[in-house]
Amino acid sequence: MTPTSDAPMDDAQLADEAAPLDALLVDAALGPLRRFAPDASTVRFAASLARQPLTVSRRARSLAAEFGRIAVGTSVVAPPKRDRRFADPAWTENPLLRRVVQAYLAAERTGDELVADAALDWRDDKRVRFLADNLAEALSPSNVPLVNPASAKAAIDSGGLSFARGGISLLRDLVAPPRVPEMVDTSQFEVGRNIAVTPGAVVLRTDVLELIQYRPQTDEVREVPLLVVPPTINKYYAMDLAPGRSLVEYLVRGGQQVFMISWRNPDARHAGWGLDTYVEEVLGALDAAQRVTGAGQAAIVGACAGGIIASVAAAKLAATGQRDRLAAFVLLVTVLDTAQAGTVGALVDRQLASAAKAMSARRGYLDGRALAEVFAWLRPGDLVWNYWVNNYLLGKKPPAFDVLFWNADTTRMSARLHADFVDLAMDNKLVTPAALTVLGTPIDVARIATDAYLVAGIADHITPWQNCYRSTQLLGGKSRFILSTSGHIAALVNPPGNPKARYQTNNSTPADAEDWLRTAETQQGSWWPDLLAWLGDRCGTQEPAPEGLGGGGLRPIIDAPGTYVFDT
């Protein structure tokens, strides 16, 4: 069943539980609750068990026998030591609570065995397991008021105020999407005050983006500028979090000339903005960065969905004889090959995809709050029920954490881009040359012959590292692949100084990701210095830092972080 929230997953589990882009975007349009409704896979599961009455009877007898041992106190069933849900000593020391936990775990194990007994095909098995796992998470006794010993203690200590606070929080969270427990205390952060504060200015503004040029913080800079293309989901400042935890700040202090795209938050008026629109805007931002710096080349950094757009833009340059404009190419937690997408991929078909595209087309956009809800239900133990207990049962505020603050600052996605991304991912178009045409040009990512630096997170449940790795086989240049610790965004927020930080490298890039991992070497510390050194070898010579911002006919418009970042 679902791994406990603190238990480490192996690589197979991580890949299996990852959610591909098309599945996320379909669920965000149709709503994640559709996954929990019985469907044809559930019917086939029931039919398979109906044909195995002896097997079902044996499982039932085994469960009944275990219940008997639980009742008399001889059962040895126990939660894993790293299962945070049952870490309170009362779960094991109180006879009644111990029996409740044992009964829950025994029933969960039986459910898992019955799914295996059904011997379903891949798609049906994943769908049924997803339903069973989420049901098991929801039914955990740790989620029940007063049954949870920490909840009972908080109620007694506070004279019931913990329940009152929790009830108010529950009502507030149910009023508007995303209808999941609040994950962060947003009162501790403010964009432009203690988040996204690296000094700079907007030097270009279009209907679609603002381009931020960051002020140099060294006497000399690399002559080749660096253009960062962030995701179109959420705001750009995942790359510019709190001081000391900002990748942008680190690169600027390392002598890089950094430009950042800040996407406008689209609404129904911008429904027609598609992949063509965003690729054209990236190319325009690249032109601007080169005009400002006077450089003949530039480097591009793309992250997640922004990495897909950046890859298409780079392929467009290569196809039109402009390949030499790119000095370096960096992809962060970006999947170009969406094959074998894992559990959630089994939950999406073309009929659902068409319905999702029609839904966003009617509205004109995909609501970012709906996407946040989908993300939460991908890992309900960590992202729903953990906060259910903290916020509602204990009446506490969620923690103040900059990454979660960024995660809560959602944006919309234009209907056309939503449809383009769904089609791109479902048909895996970037794997086949010329399967995708953008701005009138057939796209072939193999023509991106620039050296590439690729980063993935080993615990990433959105862009599984194995899929990220396959880009080493798709791109035409020499690739350096970095496997960081942590998940999707935490893998990127990896400043030097953390004694627990580490990453894996390999001088070779074999075809199979597991072969790469078997021969990879573990490096202690952050991968940021490794990236800075890699960029330093490819971003030209050092030259005196410019005294002001702007150039080439472009002038500062407003100080960073600009205006689009505040769009709601």
mmCIF file of all heavy atoms in Angstrom, residues 286-330:
data_model
loop_
_atom_site.group_PDB
_atom_site.id
_atom_site.type_symbol
_atom_site.label_atom_id
_atom_site.label_comp_id
_atom_site.label_asym_id
_atom_site.label_seq_id
_atom_site.Cartn_x
_atom_site.Cartn_y
_atom_site.Cartn_z
ATOM 1 N N LEU A 286 15.447 36.147 -25.099
ATOM 2 C CA LEU A 286 16.839 35.821 -25.415
ATOM 3 C C LEU A 286 17.475 36.950 -26.225
ATOM 4 O O LEU A 286 18.620 37.365 -25.961
ATOM 5 C CB LEU A 286 16.892 34.506 -26.191
ATOM 6 C CG LEU A 286 18.269 33.895 -26.419
ATOM 7 C CD1 LEU A 286 18.858 33.389 -25.110
ATOM 8 C CD2 LEU A 286 18.179 32.768 -27.439
ATOM 9 N N ASP A 287 16.730 37.463 -27.198
ATOM 10 C CA ASP A 287 17.220 38.607 -27.979
ATOM 11 C C ASP A 287 17.528 39.789 -27.060
ATOM 12 O O ASP A 287 18.568 40.449 -27.208
ATOM 13 C CB ASP A 287 16.163 39.035 -29.007
ATOM 14 C CG ASP A 287 16.003 38.034 -30.145
ATOM 15 O OD1 ASP A 287 16.922 37.226 -30.355
ATOM 16 O OD2 ASP A 287 14.951 38.074 -30.811
ATOM 17 N N ALA A 288 16.621 40.056 -26.117
ATOM 18 C CA ALA A 288 16.799 41.196 -25.218
ATOM 19 C C ALA A 288 18.033 41.030 -24.336
ATOM 20 O O ALA A 288 18.793 41.983 -24.122
ATOM 21 C CB ALA A 288 15.555 41.366 -24.350
ATOM 22 N N ALA A 289 18.246 39.816 -23.806
ATOM 23 C CA ALA A 289 19.415 39.574 -22.954
ATOM 24 C C ALA A 289 20.706 39.811 -23.739
ATOM 25 O O ALA A 289 21.682 40.372 -23.206
ATOM 26 C CB ALA A 289 19.377 38.157 -22.392
ATOM 27 N N GLN A 290 20.711 39.399 -24.994
ATOM 28 C CA GLN A 290 21.905 39.606 -25.808
ATOM 29 C C GLN A 290 22.075 41.080 -26.180
ATOM 30 O O GLN A 290 23.192 41.584 -26.242
ATOM 31 C CB GLN A 290 21.840 38.732 -27.069
ATOM 32 C CG GLN A 290 21.982 37.240 -26.767
ATOM 33 C CD GLN A 290 22.025 36.388 -28.025
ATOM 34 O OE1 GLN A 290 21.071 35.715 -28.360
ATOM 35 N NE2 GLN A 290 23.151 36.433 -28.726
ATOM 36 N N ARG A 291 20.971 41.779 -26.411
ATOM 37 C CA ARG A 291 21.066 43.216 -26.699
ATOM 38 C C ARG A 291 21.617 43.984 -25.505
ATOM 39 O O ARG A 291 22.489 44.840 -25.654
ATOM 40 C CB ARG A 291 19.676 43.752 -27.068
ATOM 41 C CG ARG A 291 19.202 43.416 -28.452
ATOM 42 C CD ARG A 291 17.766 43.850 -28.641
ATOM 43 N NE ARG A 291 17.564 45.277 -28.374
ATOM 44 C CZ ARG A 291 16.371 45.842 -28.254
ATOM 45 N NH1 ARG A 291 15.264 45.114 -28.357
ATOM 46 N NH2 ARG A 291 16.274 47.147 -28.044
ATOM 47 N N VAL A 292 21.111 43.661 -24.332
ATOM 48 C CA VAL A 292 21.545 44.379 -23.131
ATOM 49 C C VAL A 292 23.037 44.171 -22.883
ATOM 50 O O VAL A 292 23.766 45.103 -22.530
ATOM 51 C CB VAL A 292 20.714 43.928 -21.915
ATOM 52 C CG1 VAL A 292 21.341 44.439 -20.608
ATOM 53 C CG2 VAL A 292 19.278 44.416 -22.028
ATOM 54 N N THR A 293 23.500 42.934 -23.051
ATOM 55 C CA THR A 293 24.895 42.609 -22.718
ATOM 56 C C THR A 293 25.833 42.773 -23.906
ATOM 57 O O THR A 293 27.061 42.802 -23.717
ATOM 58 C CB THR A 293 24.988 41.157 -22.210
ATOM 59 O OG1 THR A 293 24.515 40.267 -23.240
ATOM 60 C CG2 THR A 293 24.152 40.965 -20.951
ATOM 61 N N GLY A 294 25.283 42.848 -25.111
ATOM 62 C CA GLY A 294 26.129 42.933 -26.297
ATOM 63 C C GLY A 294 26.825 41.633 -26.625
ATOM 64 O O GLY A 294 27.794 41.611 -27.398
ATOM 65 N N ALA A 295 26.341 40.519 -26.067
ATOM 66 C CA ALA A 295 26.982 39.218 -26.264
ATOM 67 C C ALA A 295 26.450 38.541 -27.528
ATOM 68 O O ALA A 295 25.281 38.689 -27.896
ATOM 69 C CB ALA A 295 26.739 38.316 -25.054
ATOM 70 N N GLY A 296 27.297 37.775 -28.182
ATOM 71 C CA GLY A 296 26.878 37.038 -29.366
ATOM 72 C C GLY A 296 26.202 35.734 -29.031
ATOM 73 O O GLY A 296 25.574 35.115 -29.900
ATOM 74 N N GLN A 297 26.349 35.297 -27.773
ATOM 75 C CA GLN A 297 25.750 34.037 -27.336
ATOM 76 C C GLN A 297 25.031 34.248 -26.012
ATOM 77 O O GLN A 297 25.203 35.278 -25.333
ATOM 78 C CB GLN A 297 26.822 32.959 -27.153
ATOM 79 C CG GLN A 297 27.424 32.424 -28.429
ATOM 80 C CD GLN A 297 28.351 31.256 -28.140
ATOM 81 O OE1 GLN A 297 29.301 31.368 -27.347
ATOM 82 N NE2 GLN A 297 28.088 30.120 -28.767
ATOM 83 N N ALA A 298 24.229 33.252 -25.626
ATOM 84 C CA ALA A 298 23.568 33.243 -24.321
ATOM 85 C C ALA A 298 23.402 31.800 -23.877
ATOM 86 O O ALA A 298 23.471 30.873 -24.693
ATOM 87 C CB ALA A 298 22.210 33.936 -24.390
ATOM 88 N N ALA A 299 23.216 31.617 -22.594
ATOM 89 C CA ALA A 299 22.901 30.306 -22.030
ATOM 90 C C ALA A 299 21.453 30.334 -21.560
ATOM 91 O O ALA A 299 20.951 31.376 -21.134
ATOM 92 C CB ALA A 299 23.836 29.980 -20.867
ATOM 93 N N ILE A 300 20.789 29.210 -21.658
ATOM 94 C CA ILE A 300 19.390 29.108 -21.239
ATOM 95 C C ILE A 300 19.275 28.088 -20.111
ATOM 96 O O ILE A 300 19.850 26.994 -20.182
ATOM 97 C CB ILE A 300 18.474 28.692 -22.399
ATOM 98 C CG1 ILE A 300 18.415 29.781 -23.463
ATOM 99 C CG2 ILE A 300 17.065 28.404 -21.901
ATOM 100 C CD1 ILE A 300 17.493 29.454 -24.631
ATOM 101 N N VAL A 301 18.514 28.450 -19.065
ATOM 102 C CA VAL A 301 18.152 27.536 -17.984
ATOM 103 C C VAL A 301 16.640 27.401 -17.980
ATOM 104 O O VAL A 301 15.926 28.398 -17.852
ATOM 105 C CB VAL A 301 18.623 28.061 -16.608
ATOM 106 C CG1 VAL A 301 18.146 27.130 -15.502
ATOM 107 C CG2 VAL A 301 20.132 28.198 -16.570
ATOM 108 N N GLY A 302 16.138 26.190 -18.148
ATOM 109 C CA GLY A 302 14.700 25.953 -18.117
ATOM 110 C C GLY A 302 14.343 25.025 -16.978
ATOM 111 O O GLY A 302 15.066 24.061 -16.706
ATOM 112 N N ALA A 303 13.234 25.308 -16.284
ATOM 113 C CA ALA A 303 12.820 24.496 -15.144
ATOM 114 C C ALA A 303 11.419 23.942 -15.368
ATOM 115 O O ALA A 303 10.494 24.690 -15.707
ATOM 116 C CB ALA A 303 12.849 25.314 -13.857
ATOM 117 N N CYS A 304 11.247 22.650 -15.166
ATOM 118 C CA CYS A 304 9.953 21.960 -15.230
ATOM 119 C C CYS A 304 9.245 22.293 -16.544
ATOM 120 O O CYS A 304 9.808 22.105 -17.617
ATOM 121 C CB CYS A 304 9.124 22.329 -14.010
ATOM 122 S SG CYS A 304 7.641 21.303 -13.792
ATOM 123 N N ALA A 305 8.012 22.810 -16.491
ATOM 124 C CA ALA A 305 7.304 23.149 -17.718
ATOM 125 C C ALA A 305 8.044 24.218 -18.498
ATOM 126 O O ALA A 305 8.000 24.250 -19.739
ATOM 127 C CB ALA A 305 5.884 23.612 -17.389
ATOM 128 N N GLY A 306 8.743 25.114 -17.788
ATOM 129 C CA GLY A 306 9.576 26.102 -18.470
ATOM 130 C C GLY A 306 10.716 25.450 -19.226
ATOM 131 O O GLY A 306 11.175 25.970 -20.251
ATOM 132 N N GLY A 307 11.165 24.293 -18.742
ATOM 133 C CA GLY A 307 12.205 23.553 -19.445
ATOM 134 C C GLY A 307 11.710 22.988 -20.762
ATOM 135 O O GLY A 307 12.474 22.887 -21.741
ATOM 136 N N ILE A 308 10.441 22.597 -20.800
ATOM 137 C CA ILE A 308 9.867 22.117 -22.061
ATOM 138 C C ILE A 308 9.822 23.251 -23.074
ATOM 139 O O ILE A 308 10.217 23.089 -24.239
ATOM 140 C CB ILE A 308 8.453 21.553 -21.810
ATOM 141 C CG1 ILE A 308 8.526 20.327 -20.899
ATOM 142 C CG2 ILE A 308 7.773 21.195 -23.127
ATOM 143 C CD1 ILE A 308 7.170 19.799 -20.466
ATOM 144 N N ILE A 309 9.337 24.419 -22.638
ATOM 145 C CA ILE A 309 9.279 25.579 -23.528
ATOM 146 C C ILE A 309 10.679 25.961 -23.985
ATOM 147 O O ILE A 309 10.910 26.248 -25.175
ATOM 148 C CB ILE A 309 8.589 26.755 -22.816
ATOM 149 C CG1 ILE A 309 7.138 26.387 -22.458
ATOM 150 C CG2 ILE A 309 8.624 28.003 -23.679
ATOM 151 C CD1 ILE A 309 6.456 27.399 -21.562
ATOM 152 N N ALA A 310 11.637 25.968 -23.059
ATOM 153 C CA ALA A 310 13.016 26.309 -23.404
ATOM 154 C C ALA A 310 13.598 25.316 -24.408
ATOM 155 O O ALA A 310 14.334 25.701 -25.325
ATOM 156 C CB ALA A 310 13.874 26.351 -22.138
ATOM 157 N N SER A 311 13.281 24.037 -24.254
ATOM 158 C CA SER A 311 13.787 23.018 -25.178
ATOM 159 C C SER A 311 13.236 23.225 -26.584
ATOM 160 O O SER A 311 13.964 23.088 -27.577
ATOM 161 C CB SER A 311 13.413 21.621 -24.665
ATOM 162 O OG SER A 311 14.023 21.354 -23.418
ATOM 163 N N VAL A 312 11.952 23.536 -26.665
ATOM 164 C CA VAL A 312 11.349 23.789 -27.981
ATOM 165 C C VAL A 312 11.969 25.039 -28.603
ATOM 166 O O VAL A 312 12.257 25.076 -29.806
ATOM 167 C CB VAL A 312 9.826 23.929 -27.854
ATOM 168 C CG1 VAL A 312 9.199 24.308 -29.190
ATOM 169 C CG2 VAL A 312 9.209 22.616 -27.352
ATOM 170 N N ALA A 313 12.202 26.073 -27.783
ATOM 171 C CA ALA A 313 12.833 27.300 -28.283
ATOM 172 C C ALA A 313 14.247 27.009 -28.791
ATOM 173 O O ALA A 313 14.657 27.507 -29.858
ATOM 174 C CB ALA A 313 12.861 28.362 -27.187
ATOM 175 N N ALA A 314 14.998 26.211 -28.035
ATOM 176 C CA ALA A 314 16.364 25.872 -28.451
ATOM 177 C C ALA A 314 16.352 25.056 -29.738
ATOM 178 O O ALA A 314 17.205 25.250 -30.617
ATOM 179 C CB ALA A 314 17.071 25.105 -27.338
ATOM 180 N N ALA A 315 15.394 24.135 -29.861
ATOM 181 C CA ALA A 315 15.282 23.341 -31.084
ATOM 182 C C ALA A 315 14.881 24.214 -32.270
ATOM 183 O O ALA A 315 15.320 23.986 -33.406
ATOM 184 C CB ALA A 315 14.258 22.228 -30.881
ATOM 185 N N LYS A 316 14.050 25.211 -32.006
ATOM 186 C CA LYS A 316 13.678 26.162 -33.046
ATOM 187 C C LYS A 316 14.907 26.920 -33.543
ATOM 188 O O LYS A 316 15.101 27.098 -34.757
ATOM 189 C CB LYS A 316 12.645 27.140 -32.486
ATOM 190 C CG LYS A 316 12.412 28.406 -33.290
ATOM 191 C CD LYS A 316 11.562 28.179 -34.504
ATOM 192 C CE LYS A 316 11.224 29.513 -35.180
ATOM 193 N NZ LYS A 316 10.485 29.342 -36.432
ATOM 194 N N LEU A 317 15.766 27.364 -32.623
ATOM 195 C CA LEU A 317 17.003 28.042 -33.010
ATOM 196 C C LEU A 317 17.879 27.127 -33.860
ATOM 197 O O LEU A 317 18.422 27.548 -34.896
ATOM 198 C CB LEU A 317 17.778 28.494 -31.766
ATOM 199 C CG LEU A 317 17.183 29.635 -30.941
ATOM 200 C CD1 LEU A 317 18.024 29.851 -29.687
ATOM 201 C CD2 LEU A 317 17.093 30.925 -31.757
ATOM 202 N N ALA A 318 18.008 25.885 -33.428
ATOM 203 C CA ALA A 318 18.856 24.940 -34.157
ATOM 204 C C ALA A 318 18.323 24.682 -35.559
ATOM 205 O O ALA A 318 19.098 24.552 -36.522
ATOM 206 C CB ALA A 318 18.967 23.635 -33.376
ATOM 207 N N ALA A 319 17.004 24.613 -35.676
ATOM 208 C CA ALA A 319 16.401 24.303 -36.975
ATOM 209 C C ALA A 319 16.464 25.471 -37.948
ATOM 210 O O ALA A 319 16.311 25.277 -39.160
ATOM 211 C CB ALA A 319 14.952 23.872 -36.776
ATOM 212 N N THR A 320 16.691 26.661 -37.430
ATOM 213 C CA THR A 320 16.710 27.857 -38.286
ATOM 214 C C THR A 320 18.108 28.444 -38.416
ATOM 215 O O THR A 320 18.263 29.638 -38.681
ATOM 216 C CB THR A 320 15.736 28.914 -37.736
ATOM 217 O OG1 THR A 320 16.026 29.173 -36.345
ATOM 218 C CG2 THR A 320 14.292 28.431 -37.847
ATOM 219 N N GLY A 321 19.115 27.595 -38.208
ATOM 220 C CA GLY A 321 20.490 28.029 -38.422
ATOM 221 C C GLY A 321 21.058 28.934 -37.354
ATOM 222 O O GLY A 321 22.038 29.650 -37.601
ATOM 223 N N GLN A 322 20.474 28.925 -36.143
ATOM 224 C CA GLN A 322 20.944 29.808 -35.073
ATOM 225 C C GLN A 322 21.490 29.026 -33.874
ATOM 226 O O GLN A 322 21.512 29.527 -32.766
ATOM 227 C CB GLN A 322 19.795 30.707 -34.607
ATOM 228 C CG GLN A 322 19.177 31.559 -35.702
ATOM 229 C CD GLN A 322 18.003 32.353 -35.180
ATOM 230 O OE1 GLN A 322 18.156 33.308 -34.417
ATOM 231 N NE2 GLN A 322 16.794 31.956 -35.589
ATOM 232 N N ARG A 323 21.913 27.814 -34.118
ATOM 233 C CA ARG A 323 22.375 26.959 -33.035
ATOM 234 C C ARG A 323 23.533 27.579 -32.264
ATOM 235 O O ARG A 323 23.663 27.406 -31.050
ATOM 236 C CB ARG A 323 22.786 25.599 -33.610
ATOM 237 C CG ARG A 323 23.243 24.595 -32.567
ATOM 238 C CD ARG A 323 23.439 23.221 -33.203
ATOM 239 N NE ARG A 323 24.449 23.251 -34.256
ATOM 240 C CZ ARG A 323 24.689 22.237 -35.103
ATOM 241 N NH1 ARG A 323 23.957 21.142 -35.027
ATOM 242 N NH2 ARG A 323 25.639 22.327 -36.008
ATOM 243 N N ASP A 324 24.391 28.332 -32.961
ATOM 244 C CA ASP A 324 25.577 28.895 -32.307
ATOM 245 C C ASP A 324 25.235 29.995 -31.312
ATOM 246 O O ASP A 324 26.124 30.450 -30.576
ATOM 247 C CB ASP A 324 26.544 29.442 -33.362
ATOM 248 C CG ASP A 324 27.173 28.341 -34.203
ATOM 249 O OD1 ASP A 324 27.134 27.184 -33.747
ATOM 250 O OD2 ASP A 324 27.673 28.632 -35.303
ATOM 251 N N ARG A 325 23.977 30.438 -31.261
ATOM 252 C CA ARG A 325 23.604 31.463 -30.286
ATOM 253 C C ARG A 325 23.604 30.914 -28.865
ATOM 254 O O ARG A 325 23.651 31.681 -27.907
ATOM 255 C CB ARG A 325 22.221 32.034 -30.616
ATOM 256 C CG ARG A 325 22.208 32.965 -31.820
ATOM 257 C CD ARG A 325 20.831 33.511 -32.055
ATOM 258 N NE ARG A 325 20.350 34.311 -30.923
ATOM 259 C CZ ARG A 325 19.113 34.787 -30.832
ATOM 260 N NH1 ARG A 325 18.230 34.527 -31.784
ATOM 261 N NH2 ARG A 325 18.760 35.513 -29.782
ATOM 262 N N LEU A 326 23.520 29.603 -28.714
ATOM 263 C CA LEU A 326 23.473 29.000 -27.381
ATOM 264 C C LEU A 326 24.861 28.532 -26.959
ATOM 265 O O LEU A 326 25.474 27.696 -27.627
ATOM 266 C CB LEU A 326 22.509 27.818 -27.356
ATOM 267 C CG LEU A 326 21.016 28.127 -27.418
ATOM 268 C CD1 LEU A 326 20.211 26.860 -27.195
ATOM 269 C CD2 LEU A 326 20.635 29.175 -26.386
ATOM 270 N N ALA A 327 25.321 29.065 -25.839
ATOM 271 C CA ALA A 327 26.622 28.659 -25.294
ATOM 272 C C ALA A 327 26.483 27.479 -24.342
ATOM 273 O O ALA A 327 27.420 26.707 -24.162
ATOM 274 C CB ALA A 327 27.267 29.836 -24.569
ATOM 275 N N ALA A 328 25.318 27.353 -23.717
ATOM 276 C CA ALA A 328 25.076 26.278 -22.749
ATOM 277 C C ALA A 328 23.574 26.123 -22.576
ATOM 278 O O ALA A 328 22.806 27.071 -22.797
ATOM 279 C CB ALA A 328 25.738 26.584 -21.412
ATOM 280 N N PHE A 329 23.151 24.926 -22.166
ATOM 281 C CA PHE A 329 21.728 24.626 -22.024
ATOM 282 C C PHE A 329 21.542 23.837 -20.736
ATOM 283 O O PHE A 329 22.194 22.811 -20.527
ATOM 284 C CB PHE A 329 21.248 23.823 -23.231
ATOM 285 C CG PHE A 329 19.765 23.619 -23.297
ATOM 286 C CD1 PHE A 329 18.896 24.698 -23.262
ATOM 287 C CD2 PHE A 329 19.233 22.349 -23.413
ATOM 288 C CE1 PHE A 329 17.526 24.516 -23.339
ATOM 289 C CE2 PHE A 329 17.874 22.149 -23.499
ATOM 290 C CZ PHE A 329 17.010 23.240 -23.462
ATOM 291 N N VAL A 330 20.663 24.325 -19.857
ATOM 292 C CA VAL A 330 20.448 23.699 -18.548
ATOM 293 C C VAL A 330 18.968 23.371 -18.389
ATOM 294 O O VAL A 330 18.104 24.222 -18.638
ATOM 295 C CB VAL A 330 20.892 24.636 -17.401
ATOM 296 C CG1 VAL A 330 20.653 23.975 -16.050
ATOM 297 C CG2 VAL A 330 22.359 25.023 -17.568
#
